[in-house]
Amino acid sequence: MFEFLFDLVFPHNTCALCRKPGLYWTGRPWCEECDRKLEATRENRPVCDRCGKYLCGGDSQCQDCSEQAPPFFIARAVGPYEKCYKVAVKLLKFMCRGYIAVRMGRMMAEVVKNEPRYWPLDLVIPVPISQPNLMKRGFNQSEVLARNVAKALGLKMLPDVLVRVRETPSQRELTKEERQQNLKGAFDVRDCEKIRGKNILLVDDVYTTGSTAKECATVLLDAGANRVSVITWASGKGF
């Protein structure tokens, strides 16, 4: 009902990704051509069996996962962090096009539904963002995605259990090792009893080096979670 009223008050007459004129809504924010491009971008591309990063060779795991197994059980993404997938992230994060998160979240949920290793699941938890970014954007894009993922999967979402307790410099220009060190002690669990013994689905927008997902998973497991798995909209390369 909310989506119907939103579309009625704020109709969309251009594709969110390519700006092609037409009739669009929260459940279908982009055109069929962009849908085909999204499908073609991810089609038949091998991914790391553990973290879901995209591979170019015949290996089953990326170099990072081969050297050290991540703390989470499995991570997957809808597609690679390039082309239309990258555009969608930028629209959501920096241009406040929150309505596209409905479709993005549903597509993320489909990935989870179709991968048996995710199940069983008890809770959905978003990766928290820094206070400056929250104030700048007015929302946490991972929480918006998590809400739609949880709705599509019929699971409960807990937005305030995993919290950021220390502000950190931007990860953008840091190496993999620097990113891992940068995030140490940045997250904490507010109420351990809510996650004790639970199988958790951790939601974020993008998985690149995996530093954020790994640190969040470690914190959740240390607080008593039984298992943590990760789903993102897009993933980087593992080569």
Side-chain angles (χ1 to χ4, degrees):
M1 178 60 74
F2 174 79
E3 289 176 25
F4 173 76
L5 293 174
F6 182 87
D7 292 330
L8 195 64
V9 178
F10 302 103
H12 310 292
N13 54 16
T14 58
C15 168
L17 300 180
C18 73
R19 312 310 293 165
K20 178 181 178 180
L23 180 62
Y24 305 94
W25 55 93
T26 51
R28 184 180 172 270
W30 48 74
C31 65
E32 291 181 5
E33 184 177 349
C34 285
D35 246 340
R36 287 193 292 270
K37 287 180 180 178
L38 287 166
E39 180 63 33
T41 302
R42 70 174 184 264
E43 199 170 35
N44 299 322
R45 294 180 64 171
V47 299
C48 173
D49 189 61
R50 190 66 181 270
C51 76
K53 282 194 289 190
Y54 285 80
L55 305 175
C56 66
D59 295 332
S60 62
Q61 290 193 348
C62 68
Q63 184 177 341
D64 287 347
C65 291
S66 296
E67 292 175 354
Q68 184 175 7
F72 53 75
F73 187 69
I74 186 175
R76 288 291 183 269
V78 179
Y81 189 47
E82 58 187 61
K83 299 179 181 178
C84 290
Y85 289 95
K86 200 168 188 176
V87 172
V89 171
K90 290 184 176 180
L91 287 171
L92 176 60
K93 288 174 73 168
F94 306 120
M95 299 184 70
C96 299
R97 303 279 175 81
Y99 68 93
I100 69 172
V102 175
R103 180 68 185 278
M104 292 169 72
R106 288 173 182 171
M107 291 173 71
M108 292 163 70
E110 282 301 312
V111 174
V112 175
K113 287 178 182 177
N114 294 327
E115 173 49 77
R117 284 180 290 176
Y118 274 108
W119 300 92
L121 287 168
D122 301 306
L123 298 170
V124 174
I125 291 180
V127 169
I129 63 171
S130 67
Q131 193 62 29
N133 281 337
L134 184 60
M135 292 178 67
K136 186 189 303 181
R137 296 173 199 158
F139 67 99
N140 175 1
Q141 74 279 352
S142 297
E143 183 178 333
V144 174
L145 289 170
R147 186 175 295 110
N148 286 287
V149 170
K151 182 178 179 182
L153 295 176
L155 295 171
K156 184 178 181 180
M157 193 218 16
L158 297 179
D160 300 317
V161 169
L162 182 64
V163 295
R164 187 179 281 263
V165 294
R166 182 174 67 83
E167 299 301 334
T168 57
S170 172
Q171 298 273 89
R172 200 165 298 163
E173 305 300 326
L174 302 181
T175 66
K176 180 184 72 174
E177 290 75 17
E178 288 171 338
R179 288 185 178 210
Q180 291 172 346
Q181 193 60 37
N182 187 42
L183 291 171
K184 290 295 182 184
F187 304 101
D188 197 10
V189 173
R190 183 170 286 170
D191 189 343
C192 296
E193 287 305 314
K194 289 184 177 180
I195 66 165
R196 195 176 304 280
K198 304 294 186 182
N199 296 322
I200 293 169
L201 180 64
L202 183 69
V203 176
D204 206 358
D205 55 348
V206 177
Y207 185 108
T208 49
T209 64
S211 301
T212 301
K214 290 172 184 176
E215 184 64 20
C216 288
T218 297
V219 169
L220 289 166
L221 291 167
D222 287 347
N226 179 57
R227 191 180 68 195
V228 178
S229 299
V230 182
I231 183 65
T232 60
W233 165 251
S235 181
K237 296 175 182 178
F239 55 90

